[in-house]
Amino acid sequence: MEIKGEIFRISGPVVTIQGVNTRMYDVVKVGNEGLMGEVIGIEGDKSIVQVYEETAGVRPGEPVENLGMPLSVELGPGLLESIYDGIQRSLPILKDTMGDFIQRGVMIDGLDHEKPWEFKACVEAGDKVSGGSVIGVVKETHNVDHKIMIPPNISGTVAEIKEGTFTVVDTICTLADGTQIKMMHKWPVREPRPVSKKLPPNIPLITGQRILDGLFPVAKGGTAAIPGPFGSGKTVTQQQLAKWSDTEIVVYIGCGERGNEMADVLNEFPELEDPKTGRPLMERTVLIANTSNMPVAAREASVYTGITIAEYYRDMGYDVALMADSTSRWAEAMREISSRLEEMPGEEGYPAYLSARLSEFYERAGRVVSLGGLDGSITIIGAVSPPGGDFSEPVTQNTLRIVKVFWALDAKLAQKRHFPSINWLSSYSLYSKALTQWYDENVSPQWTELRDDAMDMLQQEAELQDIVQLVGSDALPPDQQLTLEITRLIREFFLQQNAFHPIDTFCPMEKQYQLLGAIQKFSDKANAALESGVLIQDIIKLKSKDELAKVRFEEDFDGSLKKVMDNMDKEFDSIKGELFAEGATQEVE
Amino acid sequence: MTKEYKTITEIAGPLIFLEKTEPVGYNELVNINLPDGTTKRGQVLDTSHDIVVVQVFEGTGGLNRDCGVRFSGDTIKLPVSFDMLGRILSGSGDPLDGGPAIIPEDRLDIMGAAINPFSRLPPEDFIQTGISTIDGTNTLVRGQKLPIFSGSGLPHNEIALQIARQAKVPGSEEDFAVVFAAMGITNEEAQYFMHDFERTGALERAVVFLNLANDPAVERLITPRMALTAAEYLAYEHDMHVLVILTDITNYCEALRQMGAAREEVPGRRGYPGYMYTDLASLYERAGVVKGRKGSVTQFSILSMPGDDITHPIPDLSGYITEGQIVVSRELHMKGIFPPINVLPSLSRLMNSGIGEGHTREDHKAVSDQLYAAYAEGKDLRGLVAIVGKDALSERDKKLLEFADMFEDRFVRQGPEEDRDIETTLSIGWELLAELPESLLVRIDNKFIEKYHPAHKK
Ligand SMILES: Nc1ncnc2c1ncn2[C@@H]1O[C@H](COP(=O)(O)OP(=O)(O)OP(=O)(O)O)[C@@H](O)[C@H]1O
Ligand SMILES: [Mg+2]
């Protein structure tokens, strides 16, 4: 097979090559500088390559070489705490080799091939192993045991197994047929890693974000989309999830977004603590940063690089959460390449395979039993950036057909600085039912009812607001005015959550339950007071109710909540007392 | 030295097509010699063994098949030097001020290279612009890209100039420069800027690139890149803090659309190229602060929204890339309020890292959030009042309604030469908040109320 040829044509990131045999998705080195690219089309004796680096200055006639393997990532110890571009090149190493600005023509390994790791074996010579079998463990970071697995397509009998200090490319195990197993193996990014079976998602991913855990939970192994216009809170929400979710591993893909945002993550994550383990968040995180000004072809690949790394940790039996910000930029990268290929465009210029690519991607989420028999999951949370904030566009629509949770960001709420600006009327979670049991057992048997009541009231509010728009709130009967006041509390004290407040940023389930319970208690008391003849104006004036607003910011949550609730009791007693003293009409309770 | 080709086969809009060349590099700079002896420049957009496509910056007017075409063998470079400060250059970097050619200290590729995200330092140095609606509620920081979204006939130029005059990092005396790039604006507008630069002496610290309305549209594709290259050079080689003003991004995007149409590309939304997001990102993302380097590049560009429509692809795609936007409002302008900045749709995403203790003042965020919330609610109520009348409002709502008016009158409104420091801005904020019942100030911690609220302050 001919592995060398030459460039025929260059048009931006799309390069046509000739004189070389290729298969689809083969990786090729292009031009004098050996830029990395991937075959994405074959036409007669020419192949079409998308190049992951800038092509300025490259000329027809320059040499190309087919490396004969598909675009793959290196999987093994050392992934955690890494920050990669879209094709698993370490950004710190790129900086060391070429400075502060990204130049081209540098190929580097995804993993450090020289770093020594302490390997502990857990199989013996004579053991039968197959794809996914764990043969040993490496302590990758303080809290993550990296399980070394037999690659999916290999099986046999262990002939020799070592223990001690090795690099990822040393042989640590030899099978009877001579196959050498290393701590690292490669896997083609566009091919999902096999699992032995899929499990139903019935455990919530607890995020510490009240509106998510409370109203629209996503299950571990589930899929969620978060569409919204610019500035509505996609990135902040994704980052909140990456920080506070009760997941073991986080893969965060900055796909075609801002450089400063990635710098922010890099700055913050080593400082912040995982609420569960108390260790720096970075120790459980892999970052992929292919910002908007980095090459589009690598942006297209970044999503696959991320999901493959996520699958690898899932196979070890971990719960992995993957955030992709933003899938729209990924779709646009597809569109850009597709239009350079002069393919027949589909809706709004996106390629006809947009919908297939999106579903293939989200299909890689799930709670599974891995080949090695371990329970693991990948939860995918994809941001969507619809042009003009219009959800009827193809990327949003195709995504909504697949995902089970829809967090609809709302520009109006964002403008009112109601954050997270997730619209509670249009968002939904199809997991709510499946998760009820978990909430019953782990939060409180009352939780579901509390939550449903809150949702109900919010629906009522929307209807009442329509009337208020016409006649003003004073014209409503007192009980409806009270409903509006209670839903205001739900919105402002429960749904709103300040991601930048050191305490409010993360709200454990127990606190969420207490807060909602407190609002419910106010509601009960207020309704009772109203029935006994207290004026709505007097209820609305109660101080304790507004003090409730600040409880969530307090270090001593329980103490301050108790104080507020005690005050509330007193206040209600006193307004009822006044009523009594005035001898106003009262009803018997 | 390089060979001249007379093999143009086709001229279409700003593009020329050539055959039978030696191998030509993608994005290479091209010189085209016209029969009348003049020269135009262009850039290779597509290159193969069969055909080469070149976009001509000065337009294809006057070109014919007899033109000679030379390929430079190199991408487009800008000669840069410290002496660029004080100079006025054309949209393709040639002196317009009658001064000598720039004696280059270096020649830099105008496309720039992406900053490695790992090399970026998160921006956090507060820039005081002296404008309350920016400093108080949409704070700008060094290394940020924060455009003005405006509309035709609105005073965005005045605002940009006020910022160029007043912007400073309080307490720092570091070197500061302005790079100004005009893209397709009128001569009159350009004069307005130049006059102000001269009046205030700012020109000495400025590099000006002018592509005016009557200059070729394709040139607009390189003007901002030249400007940003100059800015990066001053920032990273000469440790200067550079404020880049690009105006008007909309004209740039029109040129991009025109090029796309000429190449018969499949258009994206409303006829703009599908790659416009990526293309705009290659401009906006050139703002930033790099670890270990002293200078910085901050972008404060002007974008006029066609039809005042913020969902139009140009503001929309920009908003998805920039770190917020300052929105100029026709409504406020009609009310006679300057600067007519509507804080509600405006946003500075990097604000949180640039304010608070150690940057501005500990209560800054709380005050800003509270002002916003109260103004938003008050402004909303105006609609209701129009229907049901003021009397139907509750006490609370009446207060908020009044607050909205006071906010526009005292916080938003200020003089074009009025340079408010951050303390002043925050005290105006507190004075306004003090007009509201304290129970409404739910977004402010008690400790700040006790310390800063005029009713509590000793
Ligand atoms: N939960 C929150 N708490 C406080 N502020 C928030 C929250 N969510 C969003 N914001 C505010 O909204 C701004 C914009 O949010 P974000 O950057 O997440 O928007 P986005 O939807 O990702 O926009 P883009 O599509 O342009 O990237 C933030 O800078 C912050 O000021
Ligand atoms: Mg974002």
Side-chain angles (χ1 to χ4, degrees):
Chain A
M1 188 169 97
E2 205 48 67
I3 61 160
K4 294 208 165 143
E6 62 158 27
I7 296 177
F8 175 75
R9 172 183 174 192
I10 302 124
S11 167
V14 173
V15 170
T16 310
I17 61 177
Q18 62 184 9
V20 44
N21 278 319
T22 60
R23 290 168 307 184
M24 280 297 275
Y25 305 128
D26 274 351
V27 173
V28 266
K29 283 174 101 170
V30 175
N32 297 332
E33 292 176 74
L35 310 183
M36 197 167 149
E38 180 187 8
V39 175
I40 54 168
I42 298 173
E43 284 171 12
D45 65 335
K46 296 194 176 71
S47 310
I48 296 159
V49 175
Q50 63 172 353
V51 177
Y52 296 122
E53 301 179 79
E54 294 301 336
T55 52
V58 177
R59 296 161 193 239
E62 288 185 22
V64 294
E65 183 187 347
N66 184 359
L67 300 186
M69 50 153 198
L71 181 69
S72 304
V73 286
E74 293 191 347
L75 300 170
L79 289 166
L80 293 177
E81 298 183 278
S82 289
I83 165 161
Y84 293 121
D85 74 354
I87 48 172
Q88 210 199 10
R89 296 188 303 178
S90 153
L91 292 177
I93 297 179
L94 286 186
K95 175 176 148 81
D96 288 345
T97 49
M98 55 198 186
D100 293 329
F101 295 86
I102 295 187
Q103 310 297 336
R104 59 190 192 186
V106 179
M107 275 207 190
I108 47 183
D109 298 320
L111 294 175
D112 185 340
H113 288 193
E114 266 135 48
K115 184 170 175 178
W117 296 94
E118 227 7 75
F119 172 75
K120 271 212 192 82
C122 63
V123 291
E124 294 169 4
D127 285 354
K128 287 222 172 323
V129 290
S130 58
S133 306
V134 177
I135 57 168
V137 176
V138 164
K139 197 158 206 50
E140 187 174 6
T141 60
H142 194 276
N143 268 302
V144 179
D145 283 337
H146 189 115
K147 293 170 188 147
I148 305 296
M149 299 171 290
I150 300 286
N153 31 26
I154 293 176
S155 60
T157 309
V158 175
E160 194 198 351
I161 177 101
K162 297 182 187 162
E163 209 166 60
T165 309
F166 302 97
T167 69
V168 293
V169 289
D170 292 335
T171 298
I172 46 159
C173 173
T174 312
L175 301 185
D177 66 358
T179 308
Q180 303 200 332
I181 308 289
K182 305 178 166 110
M183 283 197 272
M184 174 196 104
H185 70 271
K186 291 192 178 189
W187 189 263
V189 296
R190 296 185 196 276
E191 196 178 312
R193 289 172 65 86
V195 297
S196 75
K197 92 175 181 220
K198 285 219 169 189
L199 298 172
N202 53 15
I203 303 168
L205 179 79
I206 296 299
T207 65
Q209 310 304 302
R210 289 186 291 268
I211 185 162
L212 307 186
D213 298 340
L215 302 191
F216 311 111
V218 62
K220 288 199 171 109
T223 49
I226 173 159
F230 65 80
S232 57
K234 296 179 291 295
T235 304
V236 173
T237 307
Q238 295 261 39
Q239 292 189 356
Q240 286 296 90
L241 293 172
K243 286 174 191 169
W244 309 123
S245 297
D246 65 339
T247 183
E248 288 157 308
I249 304 290
V250 170
V251 177
Y252 191 99
I253 312 171
C255 173
E257 293 286 314
R258 303 175 182 82
N260 280 334
E261 284 173 353
M262 296 317 295
D264 218 33
V265 172
L266 279 169
N267 205 35
E268 244 190 341
F269 275 40
E271 308 281 310
L272 290 173
E273 282 174 13
D274 177 348
K276 219 161 77 178
T277 63
R279 299 292 306 175
L281 280 178
M282 205 60 203
E283 290 185 0
R284 66 170 202 186
T285 309
V286 184
L287 285 177
I288 293 167
N290 208 98
T291 56
S292 56
N293 54 341
M294 286 159 74
V296 275
R299 189 202 297 172
E300 192 272 337
S302 65
V303 164
Y304 295 101
T305 297
I307 189 78
T308 308
I309 292 173
E311 285 176 338
Y312 176 63
Y313 281 96
R314 170 205 65 193
D315 291 347
M316 291 179 212
Y318 287 119
D319 288 322
V320 185
L322 177 138
M323 290 90 201
D325 184 13
S326 156
T327 58
S328 293
R329 306 304 165 216
W330 171 47
E332 283 167 7
M334 283 186 234
R335 174 168 73 184
E336 213 169 312
I337 304 282
S338 160
S339 96
R340 300 260 187 188
L341 294 179
E342 289 161 18
E343 287 174 342
M344 191 59 173
E347 225 182 325
E348 292 195 15
Y350 286 104
Y353 45 79
L354 171 72
S355 139
R357 293 278 166 89
L358 281 169
S359 43
E360 282 159 20
F361 167 62
Y362 283 105
E363 212 28 55
R364 291 172 79 168
R367 221 184 112 216
V368 308
V369 178
S370 73
L371 289 184
L374 301 167
D375 263 22
S377 70
I378 299 178
T379 313
I380 299 185
I381 299 122
V384 186
S385 317
D390 174 4
F391 289 176
S392 68
E393 58 90 39
V395 183
T396 315
Q397 284 305 310
N398 281 305
T399 304
L400 289 187
R401 248 174 257 142
I402 310 160
V403 300
K404 300 278 193 305
V405 179
F406 173 44
W407 294 323
L409 290 172
D410 185 330
K412 282 216 191 74
L413 290 174
Q415 263 195 33
K416 288 189 184 152
R417 295 301 188 263
H418 173 112
F419 289 122
S421 52
I422 295 171
N423 184 312
W424 50 90
L425 297 174
S426 46
S427 300
Y428 59 78
S429 163
L430 300 182
Y431 296 114
S432 295
K433 272 239 163 57
L435 300 177
T436 307
Q437 193 186 346
W438 188 93
Y439 282 106
D440 277 354
E441 289 168 5
N442 294 278
V443 183
S444 155
Q446 271 88 55
W447 172 256
T448 304
E449 197 188 325
L450 210 51
R451 165 197 180 272
D452 289 350
D453 282 354
M455 272 305 269
D456 246 24
M457 301 259 299
L458 289 167
Q459 298 278 356
Q460 284 178 40
E461 180 190 42
E463 287 157 27
L464 292 177
Q465 286 295 0
D466 287 344
I467 304 173
V468 171
Q469 286 306 312
L470 294 175
V471 297
S473 59
D474 279 2
L476 293 181
D479 62 325
Q480 295 190 345
Q481 287 188 43
L482 180 60
T483 303
L484 288 184
E485 183 62 12
I486 294 164
T487 52
R488 186 177 71 81
L489 303 190
I490 300 179
R491 281 186 288 110
E492 293 184 5
F493 304 174
F494 185 78
L495 298 185
Q496 284 191 17
Q497 188 168 358
N498 185 350
F500 301 100
H501 190 283
I503 294 172
D504 199 31
T505 182
F506 170 67
C507 187
M509 246 359 262
E510 178 58 25
K511 246 165 112 170
Q512 300 191 21
Y513 172 60
Q514 303 257 355
L515 259 180
L516 206 52
I519 297 173
Q520 179 73 46
K521 199 153 158 216
F522 169 78
S523 161
D524 292 345
K525 281 182 177 285
N527 273 304
L530 204 59
E531 265 175 44
S532 66
V534 176
L535 294 176
I536 179 73
Q537 288 83 341
D538 291 332
I539 297 180
I540 289 182
K541 269 192 219 137
L542 294 187
K543 281 226 168 62
S544 54
K545 166 201 63 160
D546 289 314
E547 283 164 14
L548 203 50
K550 294 184 178 168
V551 174
R552 61 198 164 105
F553 299 119
E554 298 293 335
E555 199 102 40
D556 175 19
F557 175 83
D558 292 335
S560 37
L561 182 65
K562 182 162 183 315
K563 221 163 82 195
V564 171
M565 295 318 276
D566 288 348
N567 279 346
M568 192 181 285
D569 285 341
K570 278 189 211 133
E571 280 192 322
F572 272 109
D573 286 346
S574 93
I575 48 175
K576 272 198 245 169
E578 277 165 32
L579 197 67
F580 209 62
E582 283 166 22
T585 42
Q586 46 155 325
E587 278 160 43
V588 199
E589 273 171 61
Chain B
M1 181 193 83
T2 56
K3 201 164 150 191
E4 185 174 86
Y5 296 94
K6 296 213 172 204
T7 52
I8 296 181
T9 54
E10 193 185 333
I11 302 175
L15 304 180
I16 57 175
F17 297 76
L18 286 101
E19 276 181 359
K20 298 193 211 64
T21 60
E22 310 269 300
V24 170
Y26 177 70
N27 266 0
E28 207 170 280
L29 174 68
V30 183
N31 290 303
I32 302 134
N33 298 318
L34 275 67
D36 66 2
T38 56
T39 302
K40 294 193 177 207
R41 277 172 301 179
Q43 184 181 24
V44 175
L45 286 187
D46 197 324
T47 169
S48 71
H49 281 311
D50 299 342
I51 206 150
V52 175
V53 185
V54 176
Q55 67 177 357
V56 183
F57 293 125
E58 287 98 339
T60 46
L63 261 66
N64 63 19
R65 294 178 55 176
D66 297 331
C67 292
V69 178
R70 283 179 198 274
F71 296 95
S72 69
D74 203 354
T75 50
I76 305 179
K77 301 255 159 79
L78 177 74
V80 288
S81 111
F82 190 73
D83 299 332
M84 293 175 97
L85 286 171
R87 298 299 304 270
I88 302 173
L89 309 170
S90 76
S92 357
D94 303 320
L96 282 184
D97 52 6
I102 306 283
I103 301 167
E105 288 168 36
D106 204 350
R107 299 167 56 81
L108 301 176
D109 191 316
I110 66 159
M111 304 308 278
I115 302 177
N116 184 331
F118 187 73
S119 293
R120 281 184 187 264
L121 204 61
E124 56 166 31
D125 291 334
F126 164 63
I127 298 182
Q128 181 177 295
T129 65
I131 296 177
S132 293
T133 38
I134 298 177
D135 297 349
T137 44
N138 293 289
T139 319
L140 174 68
V141 297
R142 260 184 195 158
Q144 185 172 14
K145 40 196 180 289
L146 186 67
I148 307 186
F149 284 10
S150 187
S152 49
L154 295 177
H156 40 261
N157 293 342
E158 284 81 346
I159 298 172
L161 278 170
Q162 187 170 2
I163 288 165
R165 277 196 309 271
Q166 300 181 169
K168 59 179 145 307
V169 172
S172 108
E173 295 293 320
E174 288 160 297
D175 269 348
F176 180 73
V178 173
V179 171
F180 178 83
M183 302 175 287
I185 63 172
T186 61
N187 187 41
E188 195 185 323
E189 270 180 290
Q191 287 310 322
Y192 181 76
F193 276 99
M194 301 312 302
H195 182 253
D196 201 80
F197 285 156
E198 277 166 30
R199 176 176 72 90
T200 58
L203 192 57
E204 283 166 38
R205 303 174 301 149
V207 189
V208 176
F209 291 84
L210 293 180
N211 165 286
L212 300 182
N214 54 348
D215 289 330
V218 245
E219 189 183 79
R220 277 161 219 165
L221 300 180
I222 55 171
T223 307
R225 298 193 158 84
M226 300 234 161
L228 287 162
T229 304
E232 286 169 348
Y233 173 74
L234 293 171
Y236 303 134
E237 302 302 326
H238 290 282
D239 297 344
M240 302 187 88
H241 293 289
V242 186
L243 180 70
V244 181
I245 302 175
L246 306 176
T247 181
D248 180 328
I249 296 286
T250 299
N251 295 335
Y252 171 83
C253 293
E254 294 306 339
L256 206 60
R257 172 160 74 169
Q258 203 179 324
M259 281 306 309
R263 297 176 65 185
E264 295 176 9
E265 292 165 350
V266 182
R269 249 175 104 229
R270 299 211 212 166
Y272 294 92
Y275 49 81
M276 193 155 89
Y277 174 84
T278 305
D279 189 280
L280 283 172
S282 74
L283 300 182
Y284 290 128
E285 277 292 320
R286 288 174 81 172
V289 188
V290 175
K291 279 183 208 160
R293 301 193 189 221
K294 287 209 187 96
S296 62
V297 176
T298 307
Q299 282 186 38
F300 202 86
S301 296
I302 297 171
L303 180 161
S304 54
M305 300 185 279
D308 287 354
D309 175 11
I310 200 167
T311 67
H312 182 281
I314 299 172
D316 188 53
L317 292 179
S318 295
Y320 272 122
I321 305 164
T322 57
E323 282 134 359
Q325 65 279 338
I326 301 293
V327 180
V328 183
S329 142
R330 201 166 292 280
E331 187 195 327
L332 289 175
H333 181 60
M334 303 292 254
K335 278 190 183 173
I337 292 173
F338 181 87
I341 293 173
N342 183 356
V343 299
L344 298 181
S346 300
L347 170 71
S348 163
R349 299 173 194 225
L350 302 184
M351 174 166 179
N352 287 315
S353 30
I355 64 171
E357 216 172 341
H359 297 282
T360 53
R361 214 171 73 183
E362 51 178 356
D363 58 327
H364 190 154
K365 171 143 180 66
V367 172
S368 163
D369 286 352
Q370 190 66 65
L371 286 171
Y372 252 108
Y375 178 58
E377 230 185 301
K379 198 159 180 261
D380 242 16
L381 288 165
R382 285 185 188 157
L384 182 59
V385 169
I387 303 171
V388 299
K390 208 165 172 177
D391 294 341
L393 293 189
S394 66
E395 248 346 273
R396 175 179 187 276
D397 289 357
K398 277 186 200 142
K399 284 278 184 204
L400 285 165
L401 191 67
E402 283 165 23
F403 176 86
D405 292 336
M406 287 189 298
F407 180 80
E408 289 175 3
D409 199 48
R410 288 164 55 190
F411 192 84
V412 180
R413 187 198 296 279
Q414 69 184 86
E417 302 284 337
E418 184 182 350
D419 190 358
R420 293 182 185 160
D421 64 15
I422 185 66
E423 290 288 332
T424 310
T425 291
L426 291 176
S427 1
I428 299 175
W430 274 110
E431 281 163 28
L432 293 171
L433 292 176
E435 305 280 341
L436 291 172
E438 232 176 275
S439 64
L440 283 185
L441 306 184
V442 292
R443 288 169 195 251
I444 308 184
D445 274 4
N446 288 332
K447 60 174 188 219
F448 294 145
I449 293 196
E450 278 153 31
K451 192 159 164 193
Y452 297 103
H453 193 293
H456 294 260
K457 220 161 86 174
K458 281 134 232 150

